[in-house]
Amino acid sequence: MTHSPSRRAVLGALGAAAAVGAAAALPGTASATGGAWHGRRVPRESISIQLYTLRGVIGDDPAPVLEALADIGYRKVELAGTYGRTAEEFAKLLRKYRLSATSAHVGIDGDLDKVVADAKALRNTYVNVPYVNYPTLAEWVSFTERLDAASKVLRKAGLKMGYHNHAHEFQVLEGRRPIDVIAKGTSRRDVHLEVDLYWVVTAGVDPVEVFRQNFPRVRQYHVKDRKPDGGFADLGKGTIDFARVFRETWHHRVDEYIVENDQPADALVTAEVGYKYLRDLRF
């Protein structure tokens, strides 16, 4: 009979791995050697793409873009709106091209009943808050309370509530980091983290440490690369050492690796490069 490793054992292994995988320049950026190669890979069924990356080419007709994504090999997408369609209409389009919208970015300060209804129609698994920013700690605490309350509503509907970071959550505000306020003020069972690796590195923080500090709450990665000057890059064209991050966090499987580029030069090229990078990466 086999037994799953304890949380303490897994964190110990992660700590040992982090000690070995020292980062160059910014935490999480590529080292000269790239670390040991173990032949692990991102499961193809875990590769997704945030449709925000393709907003400039979707326009009024998402169908050609969805078809192109399916042809590249994607089977999952993450939504940031439904481009003028109802949830039911967009769900029908997705089914036509054999795609699943397993995740979506939504707000929680509106009609939660509609959030739940749309998520169910789209067959979402994850519902993530994409962005908030407040100037005071009290406002972050208030938001965290609302996030925790919303997560209970979503859990009862069979949905998983998450929070997607940018860089500012890692900056100290009135003695505390907003990311720590969120982590401490929400239920580990009900609120997971969708860690945007680009923004974590931009904040000067090691993504492996974020994973360790919040174990086992990191369920999704936004996989977005970073140019030396801080700009956005297609996967594998920038400085972030994704192999090291994935290798040192593989002990507790992340469910989705979501390709993203906020300002792509050619969105469909970005999509294809991103899919092939994740498909072929060994760590």
Side-chain angles (χ1 to χ4, degrees):
M1 180 177 180
T2 59
H3 298 274
S4 298
S6 68
R7 181 174 185 269
R8 179 177 296 177
V10 172
L11 286 175
L14 288 170
V20 173
L26 285 174
T29 55
S31 64
T33 62
W37 178 80
H38 294 287
R40 300 186 190 97
R41 65 176 68 188
V42 175
R44 292 194 188 191
E45 64 271 18
S46 297
I47 300 174
S48 182
I49 186 166
Q50 169 54 257
L51 291 188
Y52 180 76
T53 300
L54 298 130
R55 65 196 182 280
V57 294
I58 287 178
D60 295 328
D61 186 8
V65 171
L66 296 179
E67 183 176 21
L69 293 176
D71 289 343
I72 289 169
Y74 288 98
R75 292 296 174 261
K76 292 183 176 181
V77 299
E78 182 176 56
L79 302 180
T82 53
Y83 302 93
R85 272 83 176 159
T86 67
E88 291 78 8
E89 288 169 343
F90 204 86
K92 185 177 179 180
L93 262 181
L94 290 167
R95 289 194 296 272
K96 179 178 179 180
Y97 297 109
R98 310 179 308 284
L99 293 167
S100 298
T102 49
S103 186
H105 278 188
V106 302
I108 58 167
D109 288 329
D111 185 348
L112 272 185
D113 289 338
K114 179 168 173 36
V115 168
V116 168
D118 286 351
K120 299 290 269 185
L122 289 160
R123 302 181 183 177
N124 298 150
T125 299
Y126 301 101
V127 177
N128 300 313
V129 174
Y131 179 88
V132 296
N133 196 0
Y134 299 104
T136 68
L137 187 62
E139 288 170 289
W140 278 105
V141 170
S142 176
F143 164 74
T144 298
E145 291 170 350
R146 299 195 304 276
L147 179 65
D148 195 55
S151 74
K152 306 297 190 286
V153 174
L154 268 68
R155 177 172 58 82
K156 289 179 181 178
L159 299 163
K160 299 177 182 180
M161 180 94 256
Y163 182 80
H164 166 270
N165 66 275
H166 287 74
H168 59 269
E169 292 93 341
F170 295 91
Q171 307 308 313
V172 175
L173 176 67
E174 298 175 40
R176 297 182 69 187
R177 301 189 309 175
I179 193 68
D180 299 327
V181 172
I182 291 169
K184 186 174 180 180
T186 56
S187 165
R188 284 180 171 269
R189 178 182 67 170
D190 296 334
V191 178
H192 71 276
L193 299 180
E194 180 180 55
V195 172
D196 189 305
L197 299 172
Y198 170 94
W199 288 116
V200 171
V201 171
T202 296
V205 178
D206 187 345
V208 176
E209 286 303 308
V210 174
F211 184 96
R212 292 183 66 243
Q213 290 164 3
N214 295 283
F215 180 82
R217 299 178 78 171
V218 179
R219 306 308 312 157
Q220 297 169 287
Y221 279 146
H222 265 203
V223 190
K224 180 164 53 184
D225 215 341
R226 189 178 191 274
K227 293 179 180 178
D229 66 2
F232 302 104
D234 288 345
L235 297 193
K237 310 298 183 182
T239 62
I240 296 181
D241 191 350
F242 296 112
R244 183 188 77 89
V245 174
F246 298 166
R247 181 170 61 249
E248 295 179 13
T249 60
W250 74 271
H251 305 76
H252 186 78
R253 179 176 169 180
V254 172
D255 292 334
E256 293 190 338
Y257 296 73
I258 304 168
V259 174
E260 187 178 38
N261 185 325
D262 289 7
Q263 297 174 356
D266 186 320
L268 286 173
V269 169
T270 291
E272 185 168 13
V273 168
Y275 181 84
K276 289 180 177 179
Y277 177 85
L278 290 179
R279 181 196 65 190
D280 296 338
L281 182 65
R282 301 293 182 271
F283 53 91

